Amino acid sequence: MHEKERHRIILSSIQDRPVMTVVDLCSLTGASGATVRRDIATLHMQKKLRRVRGGAEAMTPQTFTGLAGRPFALNETINIAAKQAIARAAVDLCDDGEPIIINGGTTTFQMVHPLASKRMQVFTNSFPIAEHLLKHSRNTIMLSGGAIYREQNIILSPFDNDVTRNFYARRMFMGAQGLGPLGLMEADPLLIQAEQKLIGQADELIVLVDSSKFANRSSLLLCPLNRIDTVITDDRVTDRDAAMLEAADVTLIVTTPGTAIAQATAT
């Protein structure tokens, strides 16, 4: 990632949290700790942020605290070809009439284009997904209730008695901050709480992650590997990561960006 792009991500992220640590910013940018510290020092000198011990904060922090993680608008164009191929393979698993859950995210958002030809019952917590499907498809759409988080374009509720508990799904499709031997990882406790409720409403959990997510880590675990039924990723997945999924009895579907055909490897 170029310096200009890192600076843009850093400046955007500190508007959403009281303080962003160096570790947080390394996860968001994929850069080393030394690089992130240099970026913080540069932006501090330019008076675009305030350097604090172990991280950075905005010069004029917002009073509303958002979610940890890269904003939707910044994440949307990263690895776009891989995300499109992964999304096509995900929709290939769907049959007309099925109820499904699509969790908000930039990879799951790419499902809206191939879903345009389907007629399904779709429950989502994503404004962009709901809006696109309402305008460009004949799918039935249900939205979750709760607070609106503008940066991630999702709706989340901390309460147990929301509409989520009233929807059953054949499959749930979701992305993640990272995927490793311990399972799926996310960046924010509220995301964990909301997504665990959604997972509990589906028979099968289908995880959509481009291959870069296997290297990402977070301190928050969403669910163990053995809760995942299928992982869909791109052809840059390493043999080591594929073996990790096989050992956990997770089905792996590998896609090739730029093609409409996905190669499935059942484990």
Side-chain angles (χ1 to χ4, degrees):
M1 186 181 295
H2 294 298
E3 180 184 83
K4 186 175 181 180
E5 177 69 8
R6 290 198 312 273
H7 287 186
R8 189 160 68 97
I9 290 172
I10 291 170
L11 291 173
S12 176
S13 67
I14 63 172
Q15 294 300 321
D16 300 324
R17 310 292 292 181
V19 175
M20 288 294 287
T21 68
V22 171
V23 173
D24 292 333
L25 294 172
C26 287
S27 177
L28 286 176
T29 62
S32 67
T35 298
V36 167
R37 290 186 184 91
R38 285 196 298 270
D39 289 337
I40 291 173
T42 298
L43 294 169
H44 176 82
M45 292 296 293
Q46 295 173 355
K47 299 188 183 302
K48 294 182 177 179
L49 56 71
R50 184 179 294 108
R51 181 171 54 187
V52 298
R53 184 178 180 84
E57 66 179 7
M59 297 296 290
T60 54
Q62 295 181 355
T63 55
F64 174 76
T65 300
L67 299 172
R70 185 184 289 124
F72 186 94
L74 290 177
N75 205 30
E76 190 174 9
T77 58
I78 298 174
N79 296 329
I80 184 64
K83 291 176 180 180
Q84 289 170 342
I86 291 166
R88 285 194 298 269
V91 175
D92 284 344
L93 299 176
C94 300
D95 295 321
D96 281 345
E98 277 190 345
I100 62 171
I101 295 172
I102 306 179
N103 193 52
T106 56
T107 305
T108 51
F109 174 74
Q110 293 301 323
M111 291 178 67
V112 300
H113 306 295
L115 274 174
S117 61
K118 300 279 188 178
R119 298 190 67 172
M120 307 184 68
Q121 301 172 60
V122 179
F123 184 96
T124 185
N125 58 7
S126 165
F127 264 133
I129 290 173
E131 181 183 30
H132 192 282
L133 290 178
L134 282 170
K135 289 181 178 179
H136 303 289
S137 80
R138 300 185 68 182
N139 294 283
T140 300
I141 312 302
M142 290 185 64
L143 276 169
S144 62
I148 302 166
Y149 290 81
R150 290 182 177 87
E151 288 293 310
Q152 282 78 17
N153 279 327
I154 57 176
I155 309 164
L156 299 177
S157 171
F159 305 110
D160 285 331
N161 60 342
D162 59 32
V163 70
T164 302
R165 299 299 189 191
N166 300 109
F167 190 86
Y168 157 78
R170 176 73 177 83
R171 296 181 177 92
M172 176 175 170
F173 298 89
M174 68 176 300
Q177 172 80 7
L179 178 58
L182 294 180
L184 280 182
M185 288 162 276
E186 273 295 1
D188 192 282
L190 185 56
L191 279 173
I192 295 281
Q193 185 178 4
E195 289 168 351
Q196 284 178 339
K197 285 190 296 184
L198 289 172
I199 291 172
Q201 300 305 113
D203 288 339
E204 295 181 28
L205 179 59
I206 316 295
V207 175
L208 283 58
V209 287
D210 66 75
S211 55
S212 69
K213 296 299 182 70
F214 287 94
N216 287 358
R217 294 292 181 267
S218 171
S219 60
L220 300 176
L221 277 173
L222 171 59
C223 70
L225 278 183
N226 61 14
R227 176 60 184 89
I228 302 169
D229 293 280
T230 302
V231 169
I232 308 177
T233 189
D234 60 80
D235 56 8
R236 292 188 176 183
V237 63
T238 66
D239 291 341
R240 179 179 179 180
D241 291 327
M244 173 188 70
L245 297 176
E246 181 179 3
D249 199 27
V250 177
T251 297
L252 173 64
I253 298 177
V254 179
T255 68
T256 302
T259 70
I261 300 174
Q263 177 185 353
T265 304
T267 61

XYZ file of all heavy atoms in Angstrom, residues 20-122:
763
model
N -6.532 5.385 18.209
C -6.182 4.194 17.429
C -4.749 3.822 17.774
O -3.846 4.659 17.671
C -6.304 4.470 15.932
C -7.736 4.584 15.437
S -8.671 3.049 15.553
C -7.936 2.110 14.219
N -4.530 2.589 18.196
C -3.186 2.150 18.549
C -2.390 1.814 17.296
O -2.952 1.621 16.211
C -3.228 0.915 19.457
O -3.737 -0.199 18.701
C -4.114 1.152 20.672
N -1.081 1.722 17.462
C -0.217 1.315 16.348
C -0.614 -0.070 15.855
O -0.651 -0.328 14.651
C 1.268 1.334 16.779
C 2.159 0.698 15.702
C 1.731 2.768 17.043
N -0.952 -0.979 16.771
C -1.376 -2.331 16.392
C -2.642 -2.269 15.540
O -2.757 -2.964 14.517
C -1.596 -3.198 17.646
C -2.208 -4.547 17.263
C -0.285 -3.408 18.395
N -3.614 -1.446 15.962
C -4.854 -1.288 15.188
C -4.546 -0.808 13.769
O -5.093 -1.326 12.788
C -5.781 -0.269 15.850
C -6.334 -0.745 17.180
O -6.433 -1.978 17.360
O -6.647 0.104 18.021
N -3.676 0.186 13.668
C -3.379 0.779 12.368
C -2.559 -0.165 11.492
O -2.705 -0.157 10.262
C -2.649 2.113 12.564
C -3.492 3.210 13.236
C -2.643 4.424 13.571
C -4.672 3.603 12.357
N -1.724 -0.985 12.108
C -1.006 -2.020 11.340
C -2.002 -2.993 10.712
O -1.860 -3.394 9.549
C -0.036 -2.783 12.241
S 1.433 -1.859 12.729
N -3.026 -3.369 11.476
C -4.038 -4.290 10.966
C -4.816 -3.678 9.816
O -5.114 -4.342 8.824
C -4.992 -4.686 12.099
O -6.026 -5.512 11.624
N -5.143 -2.400 9.922
C -5.925 -1.725 8.885
C -5.132 -1.510 7.600
O -5.673 -1.632 6.495
C -6.415 -0.364 9.393
C -7.555 -0.370 10.403
C -7.853 1.037 10.874
C -8.794 -1.002 9.803
N -3.858 -1.181 7.733
C -3.059 -0.816 6.560
C -2.202 -1.951 6.018
O -1.731 -1.887 4.879
C -2.125 0.367 6.890
O -1.217 -0.038 7.940
C -2.920 1.583 7.351
N -1.978 -2.981 6.836
C -1.085 -4.051 6.420
C 0.386 -3.670 6.488
O 1.252 -4.401 5.998
N 0.683 -2.532 7.119
C 2.065 -2.051 7.214
C 2.695 -2.491 8.530
O 2.012 -2.909 9.469
C 2.106 -0.529 7.099
N 4.016 -2.392 8.605
C 4.739 -2.757 9.828
C 4.563 -1.675 10.887
O 4.152 -0.541 10.591
C 6.231 -2.923 9.527
O 6.813 -1.670 9.179
N 4.903 -2.021 12.123
C 4.825 -1.050 13.200
C 5.714 0.158 12.965
O 5.328 1.294 13.242
N 6.922 -0.089 12.449
C 7.852 1.016 12.181
C 7.286 1.970 11.131
O 7.393 3.195 11.263
C 9.200 0.457 11.723
N 6.681 1.405 10.090
C 6.101 2.238 9.029
C 4.945 3.069 9.567
O 4.832 4.270 9.275
C 5.618 1.359 7.862
O 6.730 0.664 7.318
C 4.962 2.196 6.774
N 4.075 2.446 10.357
C 2.931 3.168 10.915
C 3.390 4.283 11.845
O 2.835 5.394 11.833
C 1.986 2.194 11.648
C 0.979 2.947 12.508
C 1.265 1.311 10.646
N 4.416 4.034 12.632
C 4.927 5.077 13.531
C 5.480 6.254 12.731
O 5.306 7.421 13.111
C 5.999 4.505 14.457
C 5.447 3.551 15.509
C 6.522 3.120 16.496
N 6.001 2.136 17.440
C 6.035 0.824 17.261
N 6.619 0.320 16.158
N 5.530 0.012 18.156
N 6.150 5.958 11.603
C 6.641 7.051 10.743
C 5.471 7.832 10.151
O 5.510 9.064 10.063
C 7.524 6.498 9.632
C 8.915 6.064 10.085
C 9.866 5.902 8.904
N 9.406 4.861 7.987
C 9.743 3.573 8.081
N 10.534 3.183 9.077
N 9.300 2.683 7.226
N 4.426 7.118 9.752
C 3.247 7.791 9.206
C 2.614 8.705 10.259
O 2.233 9.843 9.950
C 2.216 6.758 8.738
C 2.644 6.014 7.490
O 3.482 6.558 6.735
O 2.141 4.900 7.263
N 2.497 8.198 11.479
C 1.918 9.008 12.554
C 2.764 10.253 12.796
O 2.233 11.366 12.961
C 1.791 8.174 13.848
C 0.714 7.096 13.683
C 1.469 9.068 15.048
C 0.631 6.125 14.855
N 4.094 10.085 12.821
C 4.988 11.222 13.042
C 4.831 12.264 11.928
O 4.772 13.470 12.192
C 6.436 10.739 13.114
N 4.720 11.802 10.692
C 4.561 12.716 9.556
C 3.249 13.484 9.663
O 3.214 14.712 9.499
C 4.586 11.932 8.230
O 5.855 11.291 8.094
C 4.346 12.863 7.048
N 2.164 12.775 9.927
C 0.849 13.410 10.017
C 0.748 14.316 11.240
O 0.040 15.329 11.217
C -0.243 12.336 10.050
C -0.372 11.519 8.751
C -1.275 10.300 8.967
C -0.910 12.395 7.615
N 1.472 13.969 12.305
C 1.534 14.833 13.488
C 2.226 16.155 13.144
O 1.745 17.238 13.524
C 2.282 14.103 14.614
C 2.477 14.938 15.843
N 1.492 15.099 16.797
C 3.557 15.662 16.275
C 1.950 15.886 17.769
N 3.204 16.238 17.464
N 3.319 16.075 12.404
C 4.034 17.281 12.001
C 3.185 18.146 11.068
O 3.284 19.386 11.083
C 5.349 16.894 11.305
C 6.380 16.250 12.212
S 6.951 17.367 13.518
C 7.827 18.597 12.530
N 2.353 17.503 10.274
C 1.466 18.244 9.360
C 0.205 18.736 10.061
O -0.667 19.341 9.433
C 1.073 17.336 8.190
C 2.237 16.947 7.303
C 1.856 15.908 6.246
O 0.726 15.400 6.228
N 2.794 15.600 5.341
N 0.106 18.451 11.376
C -1.033 18.863 12.201
C -2.355 18.280 11.693
O -3.424 18.896 11.784
C -1.127 20.391 12.289
C 0.101 21.032 12.920
C -0.098 22.494 13.160
C 1.154 23.160 13.727
N 1.610 22.541 14.997
N -2.281 17.024 11.178
C -3.489 16.336 10.714
C -4.013 15.354 11.753
O -5.151 14.884 11.647
C -3.204 15.619 9.400
C -2.907 16.571 8.249
C -2.669 15.813 6.952
C -2.444 16.771 5.799
N -2.192 16.045 4.528
N -3.170 15.027 12.724
C -3.573 14.205 13.866
C -2.663 14.540 15.032
O -1.696 15.289 14.904
C -3.526 12.708 13.526
C -2.231 12.067 12.997
C -1.135 11.958 14.062
C -2.520 10.686 12.452
N -2.992 13.946 16.186
C -2.175 14.166 17.382
C -1.536 12.836 17.775
O -2.235 11.840 17.984
C -3.040 14.702 18.520
C -2.239 15.050 19.780
C -3.151 15.610 20.865
N -3.726 16.886 20.473
C -5.002 17.075 20.133
N -5.844 16.056 20.129
N -5.439 18.267 19.807
N -0.224 12.811 17.849
C 0.478 11.603 18.262
C 0.338 11.429 19.773
O 0.562 12.367 20.547
C 1.953 11.690 17.863
C 2.774 10.464 18.238
C 4.158 10.532 17.615
N 4.850 11.770 17.943
C 6.004 12.143 17.426
N 6.595 11.371 16.530
N 6.556 13.276 17.774
N -0.038 10.226 20.200
C -0.139 9.914 21.624
C 0.668 8.652 21.875
O 1.094 7.967 20.940
C -1.608 9.702 22.061
C -2.417 10.966 21.859
C -2.244 8.538 21.310
N 0.871 8.329 23.134
C 1.664 7.153 23.477
C 1.008 5.888 22.911
O -0.131 5.547 23.249
C 1.800 7.034 24.999
C 2.696 5.884 25.444
C 2.826 5.865 26.954
N 3.681 4.780 27.403
C 4.999 4.820 27.464
N 5.641 5.916 27.078
N 5.703 3.794 27.893
N 1.724 5.186 22.036
C 1.242 3.930 21.477
C 0.290 4.054 20.318
O -0.226 3.047 19.829
N 0.039 5.305 19.837
C -0.904 5.434 18.732
C -1.156 6.863 18.326
O -0.247 7.696 18.349
N -2.410 7.167 17.948
C -2.757 8.497 17.460
C -4.217 8.789 17.724
O -5.036 7.872 17.883
C -2.473 8.601 15.962
N -4.559 10.069 17.799
C -5.943 10.487 17.931
C -6.199 11.669 17.012
O -5.269 12.334 16.536
C -6.264 10.880 19.381
C -5.517 12.116 19.860
C -5.868 12.492 21.297
O -6.588 11.724 21.945
O -5.408 13.562 21.755
N -7.474 11.922 16.739
C -7.846 13.029 15.858
C -7.595 14.361 16.556
O -7.627 14.455 17.786
C -9.306 12.909 15.460
N -7.351 15.397 15.761
C -7.176 16.734 16.320
C -8.479 17.205 16.965
O -8.472 17.853 18.005
C -6.758 17.713 15.226
C -5.414 17.391 14.580
S -4.020 17.500 15.726
C -3.944 19.274 15.996
N -9.604 16.857 16.347
C -10.922 17.192 16.893
C -11.778 15.927 16.876
O -12.561 15.710 15.944
C -11.612 18.303 16.078
O -11.642 17.910 14.702
C -10.853 19.607 16.202
N -11.598 15.051 17.852
C -12.328 13.772 17.863
C -13.838 13.967 17.868
O -14.348 14.905 18.481
C -11.871 13.111 19.170
C -10.606 13.817 19.538
C -10.734 15.204 19.017
N -14.541 13.075 17.162
C -15.987 13.101 17.153
C -16.512 12.623 18.497
O -15.902 11.808 19.168
C -16.538 12.195 16.050
C -16.184 12.671 14.645
C -16.775 11.763 13.593
O -17.373 10.743 13.896
N -16.613 12.150 12.336
N -17.695 13.140 18.880
C -18.288 12.717 20.143
C -18.938 11.337 19.999
O -19.093 10.611 20.964
C -19.351 13.727 20.608
O -20.322 13.902 19.562
C -18.705 15.074 20.907
N -19.347 10.968 18.766
C -19.954 9.658 18.537
C -18.866 8.656 18.194
O -18.065 8.864 17.296
C -20.952 9.743 17.376
C -21.513 8.402 16.987
C -22.485 7.796 17.755
C -21.053 7.742 15.856
C -23.011 6.564 17.401
C -21.571 6.514 15.488
C -22.550 5.926 16.266
N -18.827 7.557 18.943
C -17.822 6.529 18.709
C -18.338 5.517 17.699
O -19.397 4.928 17.889
C -17.473 5.798 20.024
O -16.972 6.747 20.956
C -16.431 4.725 19.775
N -17.594 5.330 16.640
C -17.979 4.373 15.616
C -17.377 3.015 15.882
O -16.929 2.705 16.988
N -17.351 2.180 14.845
C -16.818 0.832 14.961
C -15.351 0.807 14.565
O -14.909 1.577 13.714
C -17.591 -0.115 14.047
C -19.090 -0.275 14.324
C -19.724 -1.098 13.210
C -19.323 -0.923 15.671
N -14.608 -0.103 15.158
C -13.239 -0.328 14.726
C -13.262 -1.012 13.365
O -14.180 -1.754 13.044
C -12.501 -1.200 15.742
N -12.253 -0.762 12.564
C -12.180 -1.381 11.239
C -12.163 -0.338 10.140
O -12.582 0.808 10.318
N -11.679 -0.745 8.982
C -11.583 0.154 7.836
C -12.976 0.511 7.326
O -13.827 -0.358 7.160
C -10.770 -0.510 6.726
C -10.503 0.380 5.539
C -9.783 -0.370 4.424
N -8.416 -0.665 4.765
C -7.874 -1.882 4.774
N -8.617 -2.928 4.480
N -6.612 -2.057 5.084
N -13.249 1.798 7.045
C -14.560 2.203 6.531
C -14.901 1.522 5.212
O -14.018 1.195 4.418
C -14.404 3.722 6.342
C -13.319 4.116 7.300
C -12.372 2.959 7.315
N -16.201 1.363 4.963
C -16.698 0.689 3.762
C -16.136 1.348 2.504
O -15.682 0.658 1.580
C -18.226 0.752 3.762
C -18.878 -0.020 2.649
C -19.298 -1.325 2.851
C -19.086 0.559 1.403
C -19.915 -2.046 1.833
C -19.696 -0.147 0.383
C -20.109 -1.450 0.593
N -16.172 2.666 2.446
C -15.746 3.371 1.237
C -14.268 3.136 0.912
O -13.881 3.080 -0.261
C -16.006 4.869 1.384
N -13.442 2.979 1.940
C -12.021 2.725 1.715
C -11.779 1.272 1.331
O -10.930 0.966 0.498
C -11.218 3.055 2.975
C -11.099 4.532 3.346
C -10.337 4.675 4.649
C -10.405 5.320 2.245
N -12.535 0.370 1.937
C -12.315 -1.059 1.721
C -12.916 -1.556 0.409
O -12.514 -2.599 -0.104
C -12.927 -1.842 2.887
C -12.280 -3.200 3.087
O -11.105 -3.395 2.800
N -13.061 -4.133 3.569
N -13.853 -0.799 -0.143
C -14.645 -1.272 -1.277
C -13.805 -1.589 -2.508
O -14.093 -2.536 -3.245
C -15.704 -0.222 -1.628
C -16.728 -0.689 -2.634
C -17.824 0.330 -2.835
O -17.688 1.466 -2.321
O -18.819 -0.003 -3.505
N -12.757 -0.801 -2.761
C -11.983 -0.974 -3.993
C -10.753 -1.866 -3.827
O -10.056 -2.130 -4.799
C -11.527 0.397 -4.521
O -10.756 1.058 -3.498
C -12.726 1.278 -4.874
N -10.493 -2.339 -2.613
C -9.321 -3.174 -2.368
C -9.613 -4.613 -2.789
O -10.627 -5.184 -2.404
C -8.917 -3.112 -0.880
C -8.527 -1.676 -0.493
C -7.772 -4.072 -0.587
C -8.258 -1.491 0.982
N -8.724 -5.190 -3.600
C -8.872 -6.570 -4.082
C -10.235 -6.810 -4.737
O -10.870 -7.848 -4.547
C -8.671 -7.571 -2.930
C -7.270 -7.529 -2.352
O -6.308 -7.247 -3.065
N -7.140 -7.806 -1.071
N -10.684 -5.828 -5.531
C -12.042 -5.870 -6.073
C -12.274 -7.066 -6.994
O -13.340 -7.696 -6.959
C -12.378 -4.534 -6.790
C -13.835 -4.530 -7.267
C -11.424 -4.266 -7.934
C -14.844 -4.592 -6.158
N -11.305 -7.412 -7.844
C -11.495 -8.542 -8.766
C -11.678 -9.848 -8.003
O -12.528 -10.675 -8.353
C -10.313 -8.645 -9.726
N -10.882 -10.025 -6.940
C -11.016 -11.236 -6.123
C -12.376 -11.267 -5.436
O -13.042 -12.318 -5.385
C -9.898 -11.295 -5.086
N -12.824 -10.134 -4.921
C -14.116 -10.075 -4.240
C -15.262 -10.408 -5.192
O -16.222 -11.086 -4.814
C -14.317 -8.696 -3.624
C -13.389 -8.411 -2.450
C -13.558 -7.000 -1.934
C -12.625 -6.734 -0.760
N -12.751 -5.368 -0.225
N -15.174 -9.933 -6.423
C -16.229 -10.209 -7.401
C -16.303 -11.699 -7.732
O -17.392 -12.273 -7.826
C -15.990 -9.381 -8.661
C -16.242 -7.897 -8.458
C -15.774 -7.047 -9.625
O -14.963 -7.497 -10.449
N -16.280 -5.830 -9.717
N -15.149 -12.327 -7.907
C -15.130 -13.765 -8.197
C -15.655 -14.576 -7.017
O -16.406 -15.542 -7.180
C -13.709 -14.198 -8.557
N -15.268 -14.183 -5.816
C -15.729 -14.862 -4.608
C -17.248 -14.731 -4.480
O -17.953 -15.694 -4.162
C -15.022 -14.273 -3.369
C -13.532 -14.662 -3.378
C -15.692 -14.740 -2.075
C -12.684 -13.867 -2.403
N -17.772 -13.540 -4.742
C -19.213 -13.306 -4.631
C -19.994 -14.122 -5.653
O -21.070 -14.660 -5.342
C -19.510 -11.817 -4.804
N -19.472 -14.249 -6.868
C -20.160 -15.059 -7.886
C -20.254 -16.519 -7.436
O -21.284 -17.171 -7.595
C -19.419 -14.966 -9.221
C -19.609 -13.646 -9.951
C -19.148 -13.764 -11.400
N -17.724 -14.075 -11.512
C -16.768 -13.170 -11.604
N -17.070 -11.877 -11.582
N -15.501 -13.538 -11.709
N -19.168 -17.022 -6.878
C -19.172 -18.406 -6.395
C -20.152 -18.579 -5.243
O -20.791 -19.632 -5.111
C -17.763 -18.806 -5.962
N -20.299 -17.556 -4.401
C -21.244 -17.624 -3.287
C -22.676 -17.718 -3.796
O -23.473 -18.532 -3.320
C -21.080 -16.406 -2.385
N -23.020 -16.887 -4.772
C -24.387 -16.894 -5.303
C -24.680 -18.198 -6.043
O -25.827 -18.654 -6.078
C -24.611 -15.664 -6.209
C -25.992 -15.717 -6.868
C -24.482 -14.381 -5.390
N -23.661 -18.820 -6.597
C -23.856 -20.123 -7.259
C -24.372 -21.182 -6.292
O -24.945 -22.193 -6.710
C -22.545 -20.606 -7.891
C -22.199 -19.869 -9.180
O -23.102 -19.208 -9.743
O -21.034 -19.941 -9.609
N -24.168 -20.965 -4.986
C -24.635 -21.915 -3.983
C -26.104 -21.719 -3.632
O -26.686 -22.532 -2.909
C -23.800 -21.781 -2.699
C -22.296 -22.047 -2.815
C -21.623 -21.772 -1.473
C -22.024 -23.467 -3.263
N -26.706 -20.641 -4.121
C -28.068 -20.267 -3.739
C -29.098 -20.760 -4.750
O -28.861 -20.716 -5.959
C -28.181 -18.746 -3.627
S -27.076 -17.993 -2.416
N -30.241 -21.201 -4.244
C -31.365 -21.609 -5.085
C -32.534 -20.654 -4.866
O -32.741 -20.153 -3.749
C -31.813 -23.033 -4.735
C -30.738 -24.068 -5.043
O -30.064 -23.922 -6.079
O -30.563 -25.004 -4.236
N -33.294 -20.405 -5.931
C -34.462 -19.531 -5.821
C -35.387 -20.000 -4.706
O -35.617 -21.197 -4.525
C -35.233 -19.509 -7.139
C -34.578 -18.603 -8.173
O -33.711 -17.799 -7.790
O -34.934 -18.694 -9.359
N -35.916 -19.026 -3.976
C -36.855 -19.325 -2.895
C -36.216 -19.536 -1.545
O -36.909 -19.540 -0.524
N -34.899 -19.713 -1.498
C -34.220 -19.957 -0.227
C -34.143 -18.688 0.618
O -33.937 -17.599 0.090
C -32.783 -20.447 -0.472
C -32.648 -21.913 -0.741
C -31.191 -22.346 -0.735
O -30.292 -21.487 -0.804
O -30.971 -23.560 -0.660
N -34.268 -18.835 1.943
C -33.971 -17.710 2.829
C -32.472 -17.691 3.153
O -31.904 -18.718 3.512
C -34.794 -18.025 4.078
C -34.887 -19.525 4.095
C -34.828 -19.997 2.665
N -31.850 -16.542 2.998
C -30.423 -16.416 3.297
C -30.171 -15.149 4.105
O -30.975 -14.217 4.094
C -29.545 -16.384 2.018
C -29.887 -15.171 1.149
C -29.669 -17.679 1.240
C -28.921 -14.951 -0.015
N -29.051 -15.137 4.821
C -28.578 -13.945 5.526
C -27.292 -13.491 4.857
O -26.402 -14.302 4.591
C -28.303 -14.238 7.019
C -29.601 -14.605 7.744
C -27.654 -13.034 7.700
C -29.388 -15.106 9.168
N -27.190 -12.187 4.583
C -25.948 -11.615 4.047
C -25.482 -10.536 5.019
O -26.125 -9.488 5.166
C -26.131 -11.012 2.639
C -26.741 -12.037 1.681
C -24.791 -10.508 2.113
C -26.974 -11.493 0.275
N -24.387 -10.793 5.680
C -23.832 -9.820 6.612
C -23.162 -8.689 5.835
O -22.608 -8.893 4.760
C -22.806 -10.498 7.527
C -22.434 -9.620 8.703
O -23.296 -9.133 9.426
N -21.142 -9.413 8.908
N -23.220 -7.483 6.386
C -22.632 -6.328 5.719
C -21.133 -6.456 5.535
O -20.429 -6.974 6.396
N -20.627 -5.976 4.399
C -19.197 -6.008 4.094
C -18.984 -5.747 2.620
O -19.920 -5.816 1.816
N -17.748 -5.449 2.248
C -17.488 -5.110 0.851
C -17.392 -6.332 -0.049
O -17.659 -6.235 -1.246
C -16.197 -4.281 0.726
O -15.103 -5.001 1.312
C -16.347 -2.938 1.429
N -17.017 -7.487 0.496
C -17.016 -8.703 -0.312
C -18.440 -9.222 -0.481
O -18.864 -9.565 -1.595
C -16.131 -9.792 0.321
O -14.810 -9.260 0.536
C -16.035 -11.004 -0.602
N -19.197 -9.265 0.600
C -20.588 -9.707 0.495
C -21.408 -8.749 -0.363
O -22.365 -9.170 -1.020
C -21.230 -9.843 1.882
O -21.030 -8.643 2.629
C -20.635 -11.019 2.640
N -21.043 -7.464 -0.383
C -21.782 -6.515 -1.228
C -21.728 -6.919 -2.697
O -22.681 -6.699 -3.450
C -21.223 -5.098 -1.069
C -21.845 -4.113 -2.026
C -23.144 -3.653 -1.823
C -21.154 -3.674 -3.147
C -23.727 -2.762 -2.716
C -21.731 -2.793 -4.042
C -23.029 -2.330 -3.826
N -20.611 -7.514 -3.120
C -20.485 -7.908 -4.523
C -21.467 -9.011 -4.909
O -21.670 -9.274 -6.095
C -19.049 -8.350 -4.815
C -18.016 -7.231 -4.724
C -18.314 -6.092 -5.691
O -18.766 -6.306 -6.817
N -18.054 -4.867 -5.257
N -22.122 -9.631 -3.935
C -23.133 -10.635 -4.241
C -24.372 -10.025 -4.890
O -25.158 -10.735 -5.534
C -23.553 -11.378 -2.966
C -22.490 -12.280 -2.365
S -23.053 -13.063 -0.827
C -24.353 -14.150 -1.439
N -24.581 -8.721 -4.726
C -25.822 -8.111 -5.210
C -25.971 -8.226 -6.725
O -27.092 -8.326 -7.242
C -25.942 -6.630 -4.784
C -25.934 -6.514 -3.268
C -24.855 -5.764 -5.415
N -24.857 -8.215 -7.464
C -24.947 -8.224 -8.928
C -25.429 -9.580 -9.449
O -26.413 -9.635 -10.202
C -23.609 -7.813 -9.524
C -23.109 -6.500 -8.984
N -23.763 -5.313 -9.207
C -22.032 -6.197 -8.203
C -23.110 -4.323 -8.588
N -22.061 -4.840 -7.980
N -24.805 -10.695 -9.071
C -25.351 -11.982 -9.524
C -26.689 -12.330 -8.877
O -27.464 -13.119 -9.433
C -24.260 -13.001 -9.142
C -23.434 -12.339 -8.097
C -23.492 -10.873 -8.398
N -27.014 -11.735 -7.725
C -28.304 -12.000 -7.088
C -29.461 -11.328 -7.820
O -30.628 -11.644 -7.556
C -28.298 -11.520 -5.637
C -27.759 -12.493 -4.579
C -27.698 -11.809 -3.220
C -28.625 -13.746 -4.501
N -29.150 -10.409 -8.726
C -30.206 -9.682 -9.440
C -31.123 -10.617 -10.220
O -32.296 -10.308 -10.448
C -29.589 -8.646 -10.376
N -30.612 -11.770 -10.640
C -31.410 -12.710 -11.426
C -32.129 -13.745 -10.555
O -32.817 -14.618 -11.069
C -30.519 -13.436 -12.440
O -29.511 -14.178 -11.774
N -31.958 -13.654 -9.237
C -32.571 -14.612 -8.320
C -33.857 -14.047 -7.713
O -34.127 -12.846 -7.774
C -31.595 -14.955 -7.185
C -30.280 -15.577 -7.637
C -30.437 -17.055 -7.917
C -29.098 -17.713 -8.187
N -29.230 -19.163 -8.413
N -34.633 -14.926 -7.107
C -35.797 -14.514 -6.333
C -35.728 -15.228 -4.993
O -36.162 -16.363 -4.846
C -37.097 -14.838 -7.069
C -37.231 -14.125 -8.392
C -38.620 -14.256 -8.995
N -39.623 -13.552 -8.200
C -40.894 -13.389 -8.595
N -41.299 -13.887 -9.756
N -41.749 -12.741 -7.830
N -35.146 -14.553 -4.025
C -34.873 -15.157 -2.726
C -35.387 -14.272 -1.607
O -35.791 -13.129 -1.820
C -33.361 -15.389 -2.572
C -32.738 -16.160 -3.712
S -31.001 -16.505 -3.429
C -31.139 -17.652 -2.080
N -35.343 -14.808 -0.396
C -35.628 -14.030 0.810
C -34.289 -13.684 1.458
O -33.571 -14.574 1.906
C -36.483 -14.839 1.776
C -37.807 -15.292 1.203
C -38.509 -16.257 2.139
O -38.822 -15.901 3.289
N -38.748 -17.469 1.686
N -33.969 -12.405 1.474
C -32.653 -11.957 1.925
C -32.800 -11.100 3.180
O -33.476 -10.073 3.168
C -31.939 -11.146 0.831
C -30.562 -10.674 1.335
C -31.794 -11.968 -0.441
